[in-house]
Amino acid sequence: MITLALIFFPLIASILVFLSGNNNAKKVALLGGLVQFVLSLVALSKYQVDPSSLAVNQAWLTSLGVNFTVGIDGIGIVLVLLTSFLIPIIILSTFEREFKNAAAFYALILFMSSALIGVFVSYNLLLFYIFWEAALIPIYFIAGYWGGEDRVKVTFKFFLYTIIGSLFMLVGIIYVYLQARSFDYTTLSALELTCSQQGWLFWAFFIAFAIKMPIFPFHTWQPNTYTTAPAAGTMLLSGIMLKMGIFGVIRWLVPISKAAFLCNGDIVIVFAVIGIVYGAVLAIKQDDIKRLVAFSSISHVGLIAAGLFAANELSLQGSVIQMFAHGVNVVGIFFIVDLIERRTGTRSIKELGGIINQAPLLSVFFVIIMLGSVALPLTNGFVGEFLLLNGLFQYHAGLAAVAGLSIILGAVYMLKMYQNVMLGESNEVTSNFAPLTLSEIIVLTVISATVIIMGVYPKYFLDLSQADIHSLVSSHCSSASCIK
Amino acid sequence: MESIINVIPLNYYIMLSAALFCIGVTGVLIRRNAIILFMSIELMLNSVNLLLTAFSSYSGDPNGQVFVFFIMAVAAAEVAVGLAIIVVMYRNTSSIDIDLLDKLRN
Amino acid sequence: MKELVKFIPLLPLAGFLVNGLLNKKMPKTMAGLLASSVMAFAFIISFSTFLSIKDQPNASFVVNIYDFINVGSLKIPFSFLIDPLSVLMMMIITGVGFLIHIYSMGYMHDDEGQVRFFAYLNLFVFFMLLLVMGSNYIIMFIGWEGVGLCSYLLIGFWYKNQNYNDAAKKAFIVNRVGDLGFILAIFLIFNQFGSVQFADVIASASKLGTGSVMLTAITLLLFVGATGKSAQLPLFTWLPDAMAGPTPVSALIHAATMVTAGIYMIIRSNILFTLSPTTCAVIAGVGVATALFAATIGLAQNDIKKVLAYSTVSQLGFMFLALGVGSYTGALFHVMTHAFFKALLFLGAGSVIHAVSGEQDIRKMGGLKGKLTITFITFLLGTIAISGIPPFSGFFSKDEILAAAFSYSPILWGLGAVAAFCTAFYMFRLLFLTFFGTFRGTEEQKHHLHESPISMTLPLMVLAVLSVVGGYANIPAVLGGGEYLAKYLAPVLAPTTEYIAAHGHKAHLSHETEYALMGASVVIALIGIILAYVTYVAKKAVPAEDGAELGFLHKLILNKYYVDEIYDAVFVKPLYALSSFGYKFVEVSGIDKLVNLTSDSFVLGSKVSSKLQTGNVGTYLLLMVIGVIAILAYNFSRI
Amino acid sequence: MDKIFYFLSFLALLSAGMVVATKNPIHSVLYLLVTFTSITGHYILFNAQFLAAVNFIVYMGAIMVLFLFVIMFLNLNEKIEPMKSNIMKFIGVIAGCVLLALFVGTYKSALVMPVQPGVDTQIGLLKSLGLVLFRDFMLPFEVASVLLLAAMIGAVMLAKKDWN
Amino acid sequence: MIALVILALLGVFLMMSGVLGIGRKSAGVVATLGIGAALLANTLMWDKDVTALNEMFNKMMIVDNYGLAMVGVILASAFGLFLLSDKYFSEITNYFTEHYALYIFALVGMICMVMYNNLSMLFIGIEIMSVSLYILAGSNKTNLASNEASLKYFLMGSFATGILLMGIALIYGATGSFYLSGIESHFVDNPDSNNIIALVGMFLLLIGMAFKVSVAPFHFWAPDVYEGSPTFVTAFMSTAVKVAGFASFYKLMYICFTPNILYWESVVWVMIVLTISVGSITALIQTGVKRLLAYSSVSHAGYMLITILTANEDSDLLFYTAAYVIASLLAFGVLFLVIDAKGDDKVESFNGLSKSNPFLAFSLTVAMASMAGLPLTAGFFAKFYVLTAAVKDGYIYLVLIAIVNAMVGIYYYFKVVIAMFFKEESSETISISVSPFYKLVLTSGILATIVLGVYPDLVYNLI
């Protein structure tokens, strides 16, 4: 039941927010987000007692023999936690901004959180797909309506691009349904297919996930969209939404395409690794901070993707924890960018500088989150990156070495950005930089604390998904076959 | 009187009807006068009538001839409506040239 | 004792947290006192640990704190290894660190960022302790990167100056290059040995056999890590720039402790290196090359801290030379003595800078010995120590290295000796230019000249004493010493010793040779000193002003062999260019164009198909008839 | 008998061709009348008396008069008759010919249905058709009235001038 | 059947009152109520044993659940549309009652088309519907566009009728029957039939029907006629007419020609590809919303045609038409108001609608999302069922092409959404007043779209 509550509570909350009027919307939304977070903690406690108690199986579409099957496993719980943890933070992060039609804005955020949770708990492929697409619509409107310059074109491209990917997946879904006569997770993972069937299915699903993440070279929508979307939208996109793609690979691509997943790993990893270096290199010379972070995100996600397809226990475990870590970090960075932009009216690195003189506290948070992002040990970024690189290294040492360049390049662009934005003498743009407000301090404190706590004691988070990853690896990744 | 069906093979009628039909189609294609176009279509309908009657007679089944009756009724209705439409068009454009109908296009 | 050990890193951490979190609310003087006192306690605990384990063969133990990462077969406990090596390092770190904290209270007295400074220093000590105390490579790596972070924060301590920030950034990034090597080495180690615990790795290392490719790869990668942290060729360029930080930082991080982390790491994994002669040769080569290279640059520098910085690089080169030739004890011995005298020298330099109102150019100093008596004397002692004049500490440690190098290859010894000569020369050049002659600065500076407060001179004196007597820790047998350090470290080096005992190919130098070598090195140092004296005291030469016409060689070393410029041209600029190029041509005009082209092609298709909708009924009818014909033709063809 | 067939067929085709080919709309109507007449002749050959009568009355009587009326009403004549360009005509004719060729080609290979001996030749008489129409085809017959009603309203509505 | 009678009488009644010039004001109410009554009567027949009724008219028409469901969709859409009719009639014509009568007659024709069991009923049904539509398309007499639309529709429509009739004649000649069952049994009895005449007849019949439902390459009339006709007629054509066309087409192909599928499979395959592609690709650059919806309707015809190819999936067609009709109603409902307020149907006219009238903007968004086939709307399951059936029958490439076109579809549907939400209105805001009937229809349309998007079984499991 708690699983259903997790899905539907935000939906109801979203309607309430919409009805509460523009003036109260943000408070009601925050309350909704917090309740949702509490719900997810309840789910977590239940999960630790008995994961199967979270499963729900209801008849739904008798015409297709589809049941409404949801449940939470070790990987799902991490992402559910991430979602319900970040949503209130994202809502709180907007407290200093005034939006036109605020009620709609916050309602869309909550609606999106409902869809996102749905994606992470679905054990039915059709249900998954519906939530998958449903998550896209609110973010499209958020980015398109409240976004910045050139929003219409950019967000529409993003919308189309991701939908195109999803439609390929839809073909795959239909096909696999007809093979199994079921959308059910267990049935599908037991399905035996021929090699070529698996191959086609792999690519059909992969393109959807690759665009969502995005993996090089399907990424071109991403920098523009991140740059254009309002901060909250960018946070949703980068913090949670791209995890849908990664999660999709773990939940569906691995069990469905089986052998094809393993034998296509090479190609995908090569592209992912290219993306790691490519994103990092391109980030270096960006002048717009948001765009810089967007490229850095391509780099980070490339590593997660490479780890996914390396498909060993270390790399998968790494990718799961890195999903959480990346979500937290990137939200933090985008929040900092937003509050700088709000105060100075610019995101141009060239125009900024010396903010530390006015807001030393901000620089502390900035450094902590930045360190998380460059994967310094004892921050959350390190654990994931270490496991991912290690797993990738087990897969192919050379690729891991190339991927490891991100350790260097990440420091290059991040430090460059930090230096040019925060350090040095203040200039006319930054000299009137107002100190942080309470809501900003709360957001940044929570994020920074998470960065450090996860980094210092990652075992708790790792243990959540350990068992499920182990069984996934042993059942699908170590050996998979197809009918010749 | 010996019936025609014993003298002329059915195929001849099929061919005749096809020929009439094709003349009708050709007329539709090569003329610009809406009324002539419409007459060509009538020609096509008549070829169908002829064919149905032929089939009907050759198989001794009256249904076909009843169907022809319906076609005639429909044709009459169509002619009434069609000519009305043409008249309206003429009122608006003082022409019944179909090539002038090009306001609606991409 | 075991219970207390975990407080050694926790104390500085606590100091960091208190200072860091209270920051503005913390009274400035309290900050220094707090930071220093946690260091004092940490040192006391370290020292008592030392007392409890020394002279006991199996006294090392592991302290488990908690499980850090447990994934599949990868088990990484957060645990500390307490053995002679780590305890020695802990003592150096907390001891020298304590002195420098004390010193900083004076040095940073007027700085508004004092609290932040002490917080960073404490944090640094915390990470440094993690580095040396970790019982596995991951904990070591945590410390390894952590000290890099603190180094970054402290170099850029005065963040308003973007040049300093550049230096900080450079330090961090260059270090990360090394870190990449290190972490790849860790992966190899894990994949090879199935564990990252030192104990497991050392236990199973010898199974791989001498000179195996795997071991060579591991050790080379580890060495890459070490070159980054310990500023060896080709990754040394950050260290001179790192002098942008406050002088106590240079003393603590960039002389005494952090930069020796690479040496510590190699000694920690000594058996791996012993088993791969190729790597050792590389290390020895790189070490001696660095020593020589940096020493020659040091000859012509005019910034007091830069000279010391290049000297540090050069001395680190000596240490690596020692590691390369298999003299782990020698390396560590030099780490220790170097920590004393280089910290001393830096602090002395700091005192000088303090006195001349922040001036760092030795051309604008001179004649300070009268005004800064304590500083002068202590600085002199440090200079003698580094130059390798007996019986100062530097003599013993350097001599041990050179002796080991000679037994490995006389050429290495020769190169090392040249470097030692340079060292003696430039150090005394520095001394003479700073303290002798007449003051060359402005009148105002002259007016302000003063000896530093007691909080600064006291550490100088303590370190001076240590620099003088530090050598007694490991006086070679040939001089009748007890080689105490060697014995103390024996448990750590046991695998190597056993391996050498088993394979027995280490030639021992005869006593005569050793005496000869010692004599030679003393003579060489003395020549250097005399040369410096003649040039800068007797002839009263002052280095040329900036922009003066110089000989090619002089210009070359003054500009540090243009290494920075070369790196800038080879790595930095191309990377930036690549970034711009990639964005403009690959991203925007390449991939994205292609993506847009797809949608454009649909629009084009739309335009084409729109053409069919002419609005002409005749055309429509014709098209319909063509459709009919096509279908009937299809039908006809199927008959 | 067969001679009548050939004659009527020839006449029908020729006049149908003239309907399409002749430039003057009134001539077209007249040629169409000839075509219909020949088709009526065919009906008579089939002994489809009812159809022959209806064709004569409805088609030739009502419909053709209506055509003629409209043409005259609109005062259409040869001079203002719009003609397609020759190339379009050519294409149209080619298309028609190809279609015919396809029909002919297809039918040539069709099985020729043999005429059953003893086929009722009286089906086309009023009595037999009436039975079928009012018994079997009762519903379409009724519904056709709706069609006529609709056409009636429509024609009136369209052709009538608006009051205002 | 009772619905048929009710409607026929209603039509006659309206016509007579028109002739007598009475009840002009209440004509709309009467017509709407009448359709409602017919809908009710239709619903009451559900699952009833109607053998006697079927026998009564010699099985010219068959009342079955398939027919009832399809007629239900048609009548419901007409009902909804009539609720939206208040403004439209008063503006373009004085002959309201006659107009209403024509719509009602068209509905009568559609019922015949859907429930026919004999080709004569099909033919007459089609003709009743078409003749009414020819007139309705041209009902705005002084408007050249309306005129042109009417004449184009008429000329091409009668030409297609000619082809259709030729087909019927040939089929009759070959099989000796006008009854569906008779035709079917002919094909069943001659499975490897190379009865060429029947095949030619079948193809001509196919073409004739394809024209009526605007399947490429016989779709050319649709965009022009949709654009030129009064908007209300366009709405009627793209809802009720479309459904009726497909219901009869499907029935024809499914019952009569399924045994022959090998002969026409590839033809229909090509038609589907052409229809979907031409529809959606040409729609890309359209600037008028009516024309855009016309091409969209062409493209949807392609999807619906897939059900004919896959056959035996009555529910697919039913669901698709239901979803499509609801979405169209929503879209046209908003379009009526916008055209009324702004005077044209350009996409730009929708700029800033979300600010001036969020409810309308939301309705249209739901409609567009449903047409585009986004999940949580009925349109998603509509496409999903159809494509699933196609994949099941092995038409993978067809599905891929359909999917590519669905992507293109999203592009142009969302052009309107973008205009409404993300673009600023150029001139000053005109607030559009929405009457209660509009609110009712639009709200129930939105609800229906979403409910069917979440729980499609509601309609899908009907038949």
Side-chain angles (χ1 to χ4, degrees), chain D residues 92-151:
Chain D
V93 172
I94 292 289
C97 294
V98 170
L99 194 61
L100 181 62
L102 278 171
F103 276 128
V104 172
T106 315
Y107 295 154
K108 278 195 95 157
S109 57
L111 296 174
V112 179
M113 275 183 291
V115 180
Q116 269 90 26
V119 161
D120 182 4
T121 52
Q122 307 303 309
I123 50 156
L125 299 187
L126 204 52
K127 185 180 170 192
S128 106
L129 277 187
L131 277 174
V132 175
L133 188 58
F134 293 116
R135 196 184 56 217
D136 297 354
F137 285 80
M138 180 66 192
L139 188 62
F141 182 77
E142 295 288 352
V143 172
S145 63
V146 174
L147 172 65
L148 295 176
L149 273 181

Side-chain angles (χ1 to χ4, degrees), chain C residues 34 56 127 344 370 410 465 539 562:
Chain C
L34 174 77
Q56 292 182 24
F127 277 120
L344 169 62
V465 173
K539 292 188 182 170
Y562 298 99

Side-chain angles (χ1 to χ4, degrees), chain D residues 32-148:
Chain D
L32 191 58
L33 213 56
V34 176
T35 316
F36 287 170
T37 314
S38 61
I39 288 174
T40 311
H42 279 298
Y43 292 158
I44 293 167
L45 282 184
F46 287 133
N47 202 17
Q49 299 168 3
F50 175 67
L51 282 186
V54 173
N55 204 40
F56 197 84
I57 299 165
V58 174
Y59 257 113
M60 297 158 68
I63 296 182
M64 293 326 296
V65 168
L66 203 53
F67 269 106
L68 211 52
F69 166 74
V70 171
I71 287 172
M72 291 174 160
F73 173 69
L74 302 181
N75 198 16
L76 301 178
N77 56 50
E78 203 166 345
K79 289 191 194 84
I80 60 162
E81 178 67 11
M83 289 305 274
K84 287 205 172 177
S85 64
N86 286 333
I87 180 100
M88 286 308 290
K89 278 186 190 161
F90 181 70
I91 292 173
V93 172
I94 292 289
C97 294
V98 170
L99 194 61
L100 181 62
L102 278 171
F103 276 128
V104 172
T106 315
Y107 295 154
K108 278 195 95 157
S109 57
L111 296 174
V112 179
M113 275 183 291
V115 180
Q116 269 90 26
V119 161
D120 182 4
T121 52
Q122 307 303 309
I123 50 156
L125 299 187
L126 204 52
K127 185 180 170 192
S128 106
L129 277 187
L131 277 174
V132 175
L133 188 58
F134 293 116
R135 196 184 56 217
D136 297 354
F137 285 80
M138 180 66 192
L139 188 62
F141 182 77
E142 295 288 352
V143 172
S145 63
V146 174
L147 172 65
L148 295 176

Side-chain angles (χ1 to χ4, degrees), chain A residues 165-275:
Chain A
S166 323
L167 285 174
F168 281 113
M169 176 163 72
L170 182 60
V171 179
I173 289 175
I174 293 174
Y175 188 79
V176 77
Y177 165 70
L178 290 167
Q179 300 305 314
R181 290 287 162 181
S182 168
F183 290 109
D184 191 57
Y185 179 75
T186 35
T187 321
L188 292 181
S189 33
L191 184 66
E192 291 190 353
L193 295 167
T194 67
C195 298
S196 70
Q197 281 174 324
Q198 288 184 1
W200 286 109
L201 281 174
F202 174 84
W203 291 111
F205 280 82
F206 172 74
I207 287 177
F209 298 144
I211 291 174
K212 205 73 151 196
M213 288 190 227
I215 293 181
F216 179 91
F218 299 108
H219 67 280
T220 50
W221 60 268
Q222 190 252 39
N224 291 336
T225 313
Y226 281 17
T227 312
T228 306
T234 314
M235 293 179 200
L236 285 169
L237 276 168
S238 56
I240 317 178
M241 196 158 178
L242 70 82
K243 275 71 186 185
M244 285 164 55
I246 301 162
F247 177 81
V249 172
I250 299 180
R251 171 69 85 241
W252 298 106
L253 191 58
V254 174
I256 289 176
S257 68
K258 299 184 180 75
F261 173 77
L262 296 181
C263 62
N264 286 318
D266 284 336
I267 309 166
V268 176
I269 289 178
V270 166
F271 274 106
V273 168
I274 291 174

